[in-house]
Amino acid sequence: MTEIFGRFDFDVIAHWIVPGERVLDLGCGDGSLLKFLKVEKGIRGYGVDNDPDNVLAALRNGVNVLQFDLEKGLAGVDDDAFDHVIMSLSLQTVRHTVPLVKEMLRVGHEAVVSFPNFGHRSHREAIARGRMPVSESLPYQWYDSPNVRFFTIADFEALCAENGIEVREGLFFDEGRAVTEDPNLNADVALYRLGRG
Amino acid sequence: MKSVGVVTPQRASFDVPIALSGGATLPAFDLVYETYGELNAEGSNAVLVCHALSGSHHVAGVYADQPNNVGWWDNLVGPGKPLDTNRFFVVGVNNLGGCYGSTGPMSTNPATGKPYGADFPVVTVEDWVAVQARLADRLGIACWAAVLGGSVGGMQALEWTLQYPDRVRHALVIASTPKLTAQNIAFNEVARQAILGDPDFHGGHYYERDTVPVRGLRLARMVGHITYLSDSQMAEKFGRELKNGRLSYGYDTDFQIESYLRYQGDKFTAYFDANTYLITTKALDYFDPARDYGGDLQSALARAKASFFVASFSTDWRFSPERSREIVYALMHNGRDVSYAEIDCSAGHDSFLLDDAHYHSVVGAYFDRIET
């Protein structure tokens, strides 16, 4: 789903990656982020996606892609196998949020997650009007959305605090522009660097 | 889609003895093979296709005198097909111990002047790969662009990366496994007992008595065939449909599935050899690259240098997706390039032979990435 945001989140993520790192990209879609990091940072890594069309697209993009079901975890992957485990705009599509974030921090030294902020002003206004939000960052109707978890920046930070997940850095954007003031109201996308607490 | 057209098998004879895994030595042997496409000047576009239990060197195309004898993987290999013979030079070879022309139990034993029969040594996946390497030498192929195989063919592709890590750039391991389970071995043992117990088997020396252990081989194939199909596909294809519309209250074929299995068994005995069946099931049972590493597949695969494409099929219960994932995880542990597709297909283990659009797209997409 990265295509709807263009490349700004790629640049942010790339900024957090050291050249030559081992990277695992969960919910890699067509593999364009992994390909970008390969070209820009010389990373070695794998994308994971369970959608057959995405697997085919990622194969065509020249990246390593693995068709695994993230809901079943990453039990076969070694502890500390990766420098970074990324989940770009996919966290809202998995049901077992906490186990998955913990898996990310088991197999990787650091996790990078980005997600659409359900608390964005436009979404609050839609709810106030009595309708589920449909926007650039949440482009689906309620009945055909691949998203199964709807949460705000404040919700996510509370989840991290409750589960001993260390928030090392958070960056917030509205239509690709950086947001500093009240991100839970003003940002449509959040990106985080997470560590073991 | 176009085919490679009319093809002609070729024969390569080797007179340097080969020491086999079981301790026996073959003084000389022949391999029958076919090639499709052109080997480029650098010799960098060669792809070896390894066959499964009942397969052969006849991977694609037809024979001039047998226009209906289509190669077993013709839907995948040919001009414009996923393994594109316009780009790649493709080699199919009948394995040692086979019954399609390569040296095997039906060949004459130089020591006795009679067919080897049961005296032909049990060969292993490792042995097959070792003799395939001799053929590669003969064809001027220092390094395969890729080695591809399904089922026990996939075991050979994997074995290539371990035995000759510098002679294969890509391995495509499809519907395969790093080792057989107890259940897999159990089915193989039932098949072997069917053959060994047939009174026409004569301890494997049936050629000279002019008999064939048809009943045993037929039963072996029937058992094997059940493991190649999925429960859901059998239900869909046959269900409880009756052959003659009524129950016989006897031991004739009542149900369509019985008729189908008998037909498959009969068809098989017309072209396959019982001794080769025995050898091949043993090669399957013995394959276990982790055995020398205390069962640790990660350590066993550490010496592989190739990039991998691994694929499994959702309804394959013979070599289930879990078995393929074991290979993938072990390769990830070793930092190898690997891609893995788990293809949704109802046809069980035999799915790997079918012309499924998504399956062929992912295999084709992987081959498109391989530089020649």
Side-chain angles (χ1 to χ4, degrees):
Chain A
M1 274 183 289
T2 40
E3 68 275 9
I4 57 174
F5 291 97
R7 299 290 277 260
F8 79 90
D9 60 328
F10 285 19
D11 290 331
V12 172
I13 293 168
H15 185 70
W16 285 338
I17 303 289
V18 174
E21 277 192 355
R22 296 160 301 158
V23 170
L24 186 66
D25 182 9
L26 304 180
C28 69
D30 67 2
S32 48
L33 172 60
L34 214 49
K35 188 180 179 184
F36 179 74
L37 295 176
K38 218 168 129 179
V39 172
E40 296 293 317
K41 295 284 179 171
I43 60 106
R44 295 168 299 134
Y46 310 90
V48 173
D49 209 292
N50 202 27
D51 179 289
D53 293 332
N54 284 341
V55 170
L56 177 59
L59 276 170
R60 289 185 173 146
N61 252 330
V63 301
N64 293 320
V65 59
L66 308 168
Q67 189 172 349
F68 292 152
D69 180 358
L70 290 177
E71 301 284 13
K72 292 179 182 161
L74 299 165
V77 182
D78 301 337
D79 293 356
D80 295 313
F82 296 94
D83 299 299
H84 274 104
V85 181
I86 301 171
M87 212 162 172
S88 169
L89 301 171
S90 307
L91 193 63
Q92 74 282 2
T93 66
V94 293
R95 207 165 283 282
H96 301 104
T97 315
V98 173
L100 186 63
V101 174
K102 288 193 168 167
E103 273 289 79
M104 291 173 78
L105 288 171
R106 177 183 67 81
V107 303
H109 299 147
E110 194 168 83
V112 170
V113 299
S114 65
F115 57 85
N117 175 29
F118 201 79
H120 184 255
R121 180 193 312 276
S122 68
H123 302 151
R124 298 188 194 193
E125 286 166 359
I127 294 281
R129 286 195 305 273
R131 297 294 303 270
M132 285 297 279
V134 177
S135 68
E136 197 184 349
S137 64
L138 287 171
Y140 303 97
Q141 293 291 342
W142 64 273
Y143 49 80
D144 68 359
S145 175
N147 300 330
V148 298
R149 297 290 186 223
F150 300 91
F151 52 98
T152 67
I153 286 171
D155 288 330
F156 184 73
E157 293 192 352
L159 181 88
C160 291
E162 283 161 20
N163 288 279
I165 296 161
E166 181 196 352
V167 174
R168 293 182 177 168
E169 190 174 352
L171 293 172
F172 312 100
F173 297 87
D174 187 31
E175 294 182 347
R177 289 184 305 275
V179 169
T180 48
E181 195 179 325
D182 197 356
N184 199 37
L185 182 65
N186 294 317
D188 60 4
V189 170
L191 288 97
Y192 284 97
R193 266 190 325 121
L194 308 172
R196 294 166 205 163
Chain B
M1 199 87 81
K2 276 164 60 181
S3 155
V4 294
V6 171
V7 297
T8 310
Q10 300 171 75
R11 175 175 296 272
S13 298
F14 300 85
D15 54 13
V16 176
I18 180 112
L20 302 170
S21 304
T25 298
L26 278 183
F29 60 93
D30 285 4
L31 292 178
V32 172
Y33 66 99
E34 290 179 10
T35 70
Y36 324 105
E38 298 290 329
L39 186 63
N40 64 17
E42 301 80 28
S44 62
N45 68 333
V47 175
L48 176 66
V49 179
C50 302
H51 68 75
L53 201 156
S54 62
S56 72
H57 54 285
H58 186 37
V59 175
V62 295
Y63 296 139
D65 57 348
Q66 298 170 45
N68 296 321
N69 186 351
V70 180
W72 59 270
W73 223 348
D74 191 80
N75 62 27
L76 190 92
V77 180
K81 291 183 179 176
L83 174 44
D84 189 348
T85 50
N86 290 328
R87 283 189 72 216
F88 293 104
F89 174 68
V90 178
V91 179
V93 56
N94 184 214
N95 282 333
L96 193 66
C99 56
Y100 291 104
S102 292
T103 298
M106 296 161 80
S107 309
T108 302
N109 181 348
T112 63
K114 293 183 196 167
Y116 278 102
D119 295 336
F120 195 85
V122 168
V123 294
T124 61
V125 171
E126 289 85 341
D127 296 330
W128 286 338
V129 167
V131 301
Q132 288 164 2
R134 300 263 186 108
L135 181 65
D137 295 339
R138 184 73 56 88
L139 296 174
I141 297 160
C143 180
W144 298 102
V147 178
L148 158 70
S151 192
V152 67
M155 293 176 175
Q156 293 161 62
L158 179 58
E159 174 59 24
W160 260 97
T161 70
L162 306 179
Q163 201 175 139
Y164 301 104
D166 295 312
R167 296 193 70 177
V168 50
R169 289 191 283 125
H170 295 269
L172 291 90
V173 180
I174 297 176
S176 196
T177 176
K179 61 172 186 282
L180 262 59
T181 61
Q183 187 193 50
N184 293 145
I185 295 169
F187 277 112
N188 279 347
E189 174 60 4
V190 172
R192 280 190 296 268
Q193 286 302 325
I195 293 168
L196 295 168
D198 186 324
D200 288 330
F201 183 65
H202 297 295
H205 292 286
Y206 44 89
Y207 315 110
E208 49 206 280
R209 291 168 183 260
D210 219 15
T211 61
V212 178
V214 169
R215 284 165 293 181
L217 184 57
R218 180 173 182 256
L219 185 52
R221 180 61 167 179
M222 287 168 75
V223 169
H225 209 85
I226 296 168
T227 70
Y228 305 149
L229 305 179
S230 69
D231 188 24
S232 60
Q233 184 203 25
M234 264 198 206
E236 188 188 325
K237 209 166 167 180
F238 306 104
R240 291 180 54 85
E241 198 181 324
L242 296 171
K243 187 161 189 292
N244 298 314
R246 57 184 169 76
L247 300 176
S248 71
Y249 294 94
Y251 302 108
D252 264 346
T253 52
D254 281 319
F255 295 95
Q256 283 291 6
I257 182 63
E258 297 172 301
S259 170
Y260 174 79
L261 283 180
R262 289 183 190 196
Y263 167 77
Q264 289 295 337
D266 288 338
K267 196 172 80 167
F268 191 64
T269 59
Y271 64 80
F272 210 80
D273 177 63
N275 281 317
T276 291
Y277 199 93
L278 293 174
I279 288 171
T280 308
T281 58
K282 275 292 175 188
L284 272 153
D285 290 359
Y286 288 173
F287 184 68
D288 180 10
R291 184 171 45 221
D292 292 341
Y293 295 84
D296 180 0
L297 188 64
Q298 297 181 342
S299 302
L301 301 194
R303 61 189 189 278
K305 294 181 181 172
S307 298
F308 285 78
F309 173 81
V310 178
S312 69
F313 296 90
S314 53
T315 56
D316 184 352
W317 57 278
R318 181 180 170 90
F319 299 156
S320 70
E322 185 55 36
R323 303 281 84 75
S324 286
R325 283 196 290 266
E326 286 171 26
I327 299 173
V328 172
Y329 286 133
L331 292 168
M332 286 176 79
H333 171 85
N334 286 298
R336 306 271 23 110
D337 282 326
V338 53
S339 286
Y340 170 62
E342 196 169 305
I343 292 142
D344 194 18
C345 186
S346 67
H349 185 59
D350 267 355
S351 297
F352 84 89
L353 294 167
L354 300 184
D355 187 4
D356 176 86
H358 177 68
Y359 165 43
H360 278 195
S361 293
V362 290
V363 171
Y366 191 81
F367 270 112
D368 286 346
R369 291 161 49 150
I370 298 177
E371 288 173 18
T372 59

